[in-house]
Amino acid sequence: MNEILIRLRNERHLSQEEAAKEIGLSQSMLSSLEHGSREGSDTTKIKIAKFYGKSVDYIFFASKIT
């Protein structure tokens, strides 16, 4: 599960559907990314990082660093 991605969305008070629409993804794709069942392409990760104003590393890899 990507807690960072979920937290960023919740901080903006957006539903998955609202966030996905603004980012340019389907709701099911965003759900899959948030729950870790899909990784997403580099292009998708960049879109999300730009939307939230964070780095790709922070959103997708920070929780994997021990």
Side-chain angles (χ1 to χ4, degrees), residues 31-47:
S31 177
S32 295
L33 292 167
E34 287 185 355
H35 292 93
S37 58
R38 292 182 70 180
E39 187 172 310
S41 68
D42 290 344
T43 301
T44 297
K45 290 176 183 175
I46 291 167
K47 281 183 181 182

Side-chain angles (χ1 to χ4, degrees), residues 15-63:
S15 67
Q16 280 184 345
E17 186 175 349
E18 292 166 331
K21 184 176 180 179
E22 290 191 38
I23 296 167
L25 302 174
S26 68
Q27 183 272 329
S28 62
M29 177 60 163
L30 183 57
S31 177
S32 295
L33 292 167
E34 287 185 355
H35 292 93
S37 58
R38 292 182 70 180
E39 187 172 310
S41 68
D42 290 344
T43 301
T44 297
K45 290 176 183 175
I46 291 167
K47 281 183 181 182
I48 292 169
K50 285 182 178 181
F51 177 74
Y52 289 117
K54 303 290 183 185
S55 70
V56 170
D57 287 342
Y58 175 76
I59 297 172
F60 293 99
F61 302 108
S63 63

